[in-house]
Amino acid sequence: MSPRGVATPDVRERLFAAAERVVERDGPGALTSRSVTTEAGCAKGLLHTHFAGLDEFVAELCLDRFARTAAKAQALSGFAGQGTVAQNLEAVAFALFDSGGPAISGLAMTRPAAALRIREALEGGAPGFTAIQEAITGYLKAEQGLGRTAETIDPDTVALALVGTAHHLLMTGWPGTPDPRPLVGRLVVALLDG
């Protein structure tokens, strides 16, 4: 445990990772500021030093994970012509499920104040599912231009179906439910065979 008054490197990420472990292991109801700081091995008040409270912390955690996935999706355009289209799409979709995706999404749903902060941030332009969908659409159009996907595939519809399905699985999943990756993999294949 870090002693009081000693700087904790990369505090946000350390606390976020600790929260993900708590929720994955014990469920959303176990998440408290004390459980997070205990799991992170840091001073009990550290979370409240960096966040206005647990709701702000949960909102920032969700927004951070959305932003990471959106960045990964935006990087897809650089993969046009490399690997397989299915593998590239799966990598982005699977990123939504990494770091306890279903558990963290469920956590936000149990905290109305956090859900409101997330919605306001997304409405204000924070990257979320829309940014991921737009990046997938752009990637698929690039692959069409290279002749690696069928001209009959509608990139906008494929992106909507993929992101919408991932969103559904995130909102209806919880710790202990079957891994959604095989289902998403089959969906990607079906959408590309369109």
Side-chain angles (χ1 to χ4, degrees):
M1 176 141 340
S2 299
R4 289 182 71 105
V6 174
T8 304
D10 200 11
V11 172
R12 286 174 55 93
E13 182 53 36
R14 186 171 174 182
L15 293 171
F16 289 167
E20 289 171 335
R21 290 190 302 272
V22 168
V23 172
E24 275 292 313
R25 183 183 60 236
D26 303 323
L31 192 79
T32 63
S33 55
R34 182 172 295 270
S35 69
V36 171
T37 55
T38 298
E39 182 71 25
C42 58
K44 300 296 178 215
L46 190 63
L47 186 142
H48 293 284
T49 300
H50 293 277
F51 300 93
L54 194 57
D55 287 325
E56 180 181 299
F57 173 77
V58 168
E60 290 297 318
L61 168 59
C62 291
L63 291 167
D64 179 79
R65 295 328 192 216
F66 281 150
R68 284 181 178 206
T69 304
K72 188 168 193 156
Q74 289 164 347
L76 262 178
S77 62
F79 289 97
Q82 301 175 26
T84 70
V85 175
Q87 288 170 335
N88 293 337
L89 289 177
E90 286 175 356
V92 170
F94 292 175
L96 286 165
F97 301 107
D98 292 341
S99 299
I104 297 302
S105 296
L107 174 64
M109 290 174 41
T110 65
R111 304 194 65 85
L116 176 62
R117 289 179 71 93
I118 293 166
R119 187 175 73 237
E120 289 171 346
L122 294 174
E123 289 172 353
F129 288 111
T130 301
I132 296 165
Q133 182 179 333
E134 290 169 353
I136 290 171
T137 297
Y139 166 73
L140 287 170
K141 287 179 179 179
E143 291 288 20
Q144 274 184 326
L146 296 171
R148 289 177 22 111
T149 61
E151 286 296 320
T152 55
I153 289 175
D154 176 7
D156 291 307
T157 302
V158 170
L160 175 62
L162 185 57
V163 172
T165 299
H167 183 263
H168 167 73
L169 292 170
L170 283 168
M171 295 298 120
T172 59
W174 58 87
T177 58
D179 184 357
R181 287 169 183 83
L183 178 61
V184 171
R186 290 193 305 273
L187 175 67
V188 167
V189 169
L191 291 171
L192 292 177
D193 284 346

